[in-house]
Every structure is written in C-alpha cells, then in structure tokens.
Amino acid sequence: MRLKYKALAAVTGVLALVLTNQAHADEAPDLKRDLADAGIDLGLSLTEFVQSAVAGDGGSDWKIGGKIDATLGLDGNRLGLWPGLTVSIHQEWVHGDDVNDQGDGSLLPVNVAMGFPRLGGADAETAVVLTQTFDDQVSVSLGKFNMLDAAARTPLIGGGGISTFSHVGLAAPISGVTPPYLLGAMGTVRTDALITTVMIYDPRNAQDSKVLEAPFEDGVTVSLSATKPVTFLGGKPGFQGLRAVYSSQRGLDLNDIPQLALPPEAEAVIGEKSGYWYLAYSFQQYLSYNAGKGWGVYGQAAISDGNPNTIESSLLAGVGGDSPLANRTDDRWGLGYFRYNLSSRLLDGLQAVGINNLRHEQGLEAFYSLAVLETLRLTASLNYIAPGNSDRDDALFTGLRFQARF
C-alpha cells in the first residue's frame, strides 16, 4: 500500500509542477527565449518511473524512482567570443528505486534512463563537451561525452529511455567497445551524400576518476562511421550506416561495460589480448512522412571478435516513430526486438569454472508515449525478456513514465 501512495504522490507532484508551469507561461516574460537570444540555452526535465516485473522470477514489487536532467548550452558567437563555438553541459541525477536489479536473470538493464549513471556506481554524473563548427559542414568536439545523449538523437527510436524505448538493447544499443561515458574527441564532416564521423577516445568508462587523471593509460579506441542519407517510396527519408571500431586496450575491464550484469568469475575468463574490433550496419527508413513527422522501420546488425569483447554479435529491428493517429502527431510509438549474443570464448571459459547457466539474451518491447501537454508526456511500456540466466523463466515488465519539461 505504501508503494501505491508513493506512486500517486510522484505522479501528482509531476502534474502539479507542469500545470503550474503551464498556467503561468503566458503571464511571465519568456526568460528562456531571452536567454537563448543572448547565447544561453537552459533545459530541465523531471521523469518519474513506476515499473515492475509482473511475470518471471525475481522480485515483483513496484519500483518507483526518478531522474532529473539539467542542460546548459552556450553559444560562443552570441556571447561575444567567436562564431561556431558551442559548449554543452549535461548534469543528471537519479533517485529512488529501479527494476534493473529485480533478480529476474536479465544481463541487460530494462530501464536505461535509471541505469545511467547508476550502473557505473553513482547517482549523479556530469558531461561537458566543447564543439567548434566550420561552415556548417565540419565540426570538432572534445570533452566528456554522455553516449545516451547521442542515442537519444537517433530518428524514429531516439529518446534516451524517456519518451521511447526503455530497454538498453533498443534505446541505446550496446557494443561492448563504447563505454556509456567517454573521454575523447570527435570530428564530423557533413555533405549531402555522406556524413562521416571519426571518434578517438579512452576505452574506459569515464565515470572512473582514473580516466580523467591519466587519460589513455590503458590504450586508445578509434571509431569510424559513415552514414548515407537515402530516399525511398516517393522520396521518404532514411539512412544506411556503417561503423568500424578498433581498440588497442589490452584485455577488457567489465567495469567499462556496466550495462552487463555478468558474474564476478567472468573477469578471469574473458581473455588477455591486446586489441579488439567491432563492426556494425544500421538502417532507418520512413514508410510514412509528412512535414517532419512520420513512422518507419529500423534495424542494426553487429559483430565483434568476441575476445576480449563480451558481446560477440547483436541484432535489433522494429517499427515506430510518430503516431499516425489523427490529431495525435506528437505522440510516439514503437515495437522492437533485440538479441545479444555473448562471446563464445566467455561462455566456454565460464563453463570451465562450473558456470553453465548463461546464454544469449533476447526480448521484445512495445511502448506508446502520449503527449498530454506540450510540456508533459506519459509513456506506457511492456518488456518481454528471455533472460541470459537460463535458470530463470522468461520475464514480463510493465511500467509508466511521466516526463515534465520546464
């Protein structure tokens, strides 16, 4: 009963904040717009989660928690510095409980928004990125990147675990070679025919203070991606992309991929090898598109050397985007499937030390995100998971997310 009251209080609090903000929006000066004109862009959002496993093993209590995201963007030109310079700061906090430790046997977190930064051992994290743009075609960025922000900008399925998919396997597909927070640099060249991005970064999770104190001490990772815009079915937009990654890091610290809940014994059997690689192909294609709104299909297939990378291959596919319902074009919806195959080297090694209950993990997720007001979104989701722990039954998670933007 106490959980029900906590859930009601959380939802009521979000609604009260949004309605108060909405009621006074026309009465007060548009401070946010004035600041943006001066080169200062402020953003604040509050998201509350109510989620539980309603079938399968492990706990079945309703978990209630939340996340606060505060962003600050600085425009160097408008602030009197020089054209093309921008600074982006993202501060995040999580509070309360989440379902990522329900004990259902899943290796991958069901709630990615609550999982970052918590899976890295902290309930708060800061990302700071400086970017210099040249002629709107070439840009160079450096700093500490929040990779969930990058995933959130993906068309069709992007949302950072807030307004679209919640499972990490779909909301922020993991590779095993890119930590959730990374220290490094990125260069992008944009043309009408191709978008090329090169990233050079420390292979370790930048939540570890040692990464900032001694960057690139354990090696360097280089990522090259090429994205080609395509049109189909009467000019509807889409893209196809390739990504190749190579790292000189010796071995692989499982703390660098906190998205995986592997047993402690895995640390000793993933192998000691200098260098590892990863290849991925992805696509998205709108099937319905009008005035910047639409829905379509998407997919990604990836492989790696599987040693020391703990993920040997992965596949995800689905359909989603903006709602096709009349007068509901601000709503979002999606249906997706994912499968992550663990390294055969890892599985063989664990079996050698008596662990025989790990397998590949796969699942389905469906969500519908309702735009209640311009500043309030309500999202319902279902997650069906065949967990990586073969001793556990298949699990079904259900939940609601309430997001308020100010």
Side-chain angles (χ1 to χ4, degrees):
M1 185 64 69
R2 184 179 297 176
L3 284 175
K4 292 182 180 179
Y5 286 128
K6 286 176 65 179
L8 181 60
V11 173
T12 302
V14 172
L15 288 172
L17 285 171
V18 172
L19 292 175
T20 301
N21 183 60
Q22 195 80 10
H24 295 284
D26 296 330
E27 301 175 7
D30 193 345
L31 177 61
K32 184 176 180 179
R33 183 184 59 193
D34 293 341
L35 286 173
D37 291 340
I40 302 173
D41 186 14
L42 295 174
L44 179 65
S45 72
L46 169 64
T47 309
E48 292 294 325
F49 302 86
V50 182
Q51 199 170 15
S52 175
V54 296
D57 295 320
S60 58
D61 294 337
W62 288 92
K63 300 293 186 178
I64 302 169
K67 184 171 190 177
I68 301 173
D69 291 279
T71 59
L72 171 63
L74 303 176
D75 186 319
N77 188 36
R78 294 186 177 183
L79 288 171
L81 299 176
W82 58 84
L85 174 67
T86 58
V87 179
S88 299
I89 302 173
H90 181 183
Q91 176 66 51
E92 54 187 340
W93 302 267
V94 293
H95 65 271
D97 301 318
D98 62 72
V99 296
N100 292 328
D101 59 354
Q102 286 283 82
D104 65 300
S106 296
L107 303 178
L108 303 169
V110 178
N111 188 329
V112 65
M114 289 293 288
F116 296 107
R118 179 167 283 176
L119 291 172
D123 281 351
E125 197 59 60
T126 307
V128 181
V129 178
L130 285 74
T131 300
Q132 179 65 51
T133 302
F134 307 91
D135 299 328
D136 295 327
Q137 289 187 316
V138 179
S139 64
V140 178
S141 302
L142 58 89
K144 180 180 176 182
F145 295 79
N146 181 337
M147 296 310 292
L148 190 57
D149 289 343
R153 292 190 290 268
T154 305
L156 291 181
I157 63 175
I162 301 295
S163 59
T164 59
F165 292 107
S166 68
H167 195 284
V168 68
L170 293 165
I174 62 175
S175 63
V177 298
T178 304
Y181 300 87
L182 63 84
L183 180 70
M186 175 176 66
T188 301
V189 179
R190 299 176 178 271
T191 67
D192 293 337
L194 196 68
I195 302 172
T196 305
T197 300
V198 178
M199 297 185 68
I200 301 174
Y201 55 90
D202 192 305
R204 299 167 295 171
N205 183 8
Q207 287 182 270
D208 187 346
S209 61
K210 295 179 181 178
V211 176
L212 298 178
E213 295 168 0
F216 303 101
E217 186 177 51
D218 289 353
V220 61
T221 300
V222 179
S223 169
L224 174 63
S225 63
T227 303
K228 180 175 178 57
V230 297
T231 56
F232 189 62
L233 297 175
K236 297 179 177 62
F239 71 80
Q240 297 189 48
L242 291 174
R243 183 185 181 209
V245 181
Y246 178 80
S247 179
S248 65
Q249 183 183 27
R250 182 170 181 80
L252 185 66
D253 186 348
L254 296 186
N255 292 322
D256 293 334
I257 46 172
Q259 305 94 317
L260 282 174
L262 294 173
E265 293 84 352
E267 192 84 50
V269 300
I270 59 174
E272 276 293 320
K273 184 166 72 79
S274 181
Y276 49 91
W277 55 265
Y278 167 89
L279 295 172
Y281 163 77
S282 61
F283 76 91
Q284 291 193 9
Q285 180 59 57
Y286 280 95
L287 302 180
S288 174
Y289 188 81
N290 182 39
K293 297 283 187 177
W295 59 271
V297 294
Y298 59 88
Q300 178 177 293
I303 60 172
S304 80
D305 56 1
N307 181 23
N309 193 351
T310 56
I311 301 173
E312 195 163 82
S313 62
S314 62
L315 176 69
L316 64 93
V319 59
D322 301 306
S323 175
L325 300 177
N327 302 319
R328 300 301 315 171
T329 57
D330 288 334
D331 292 355
R332 305 290 301 278
W333 69 281
L335 174 64
Y337 164 81
F338 65 86
R339 178 185 173 96
Y340 285 84
N341 299 319
L342 295 180
S343 161
S344 57
R345 171 68 177 84
L346 171 65
L347 295 176
D348 291 344
L350 290 174
Q351 289 174 3
V353 296
I355 298 178
N356 302 299
N357 61 344
L358 284 187
R359 63 180 179 183
H360 312 307
E361 187 160 292
Q362 59 184 332
L364 295 166
E365 181 175 356
F367 76 87
Y368 192 89
S369 184
L370 184 71
V372 181
L373 298 170
E374 183 180 355
T375 55
L376 176 64
R377 185 172 290 275
L378 169 63
T379 305
S381 64
L382 284 173
N383 292 85
Y384 175 82
I385 300 170
N389 186 336
S390 61
D391 293 337
R392 301 288 188 171
D393 292 336
D394 291 357
L396 179 65
F397 290 82
T398 184
L400 292 174
R401 286 167 275 166
F402 304 86
Q403 183 200 27
R405 292 179 291 106
F406 304 95

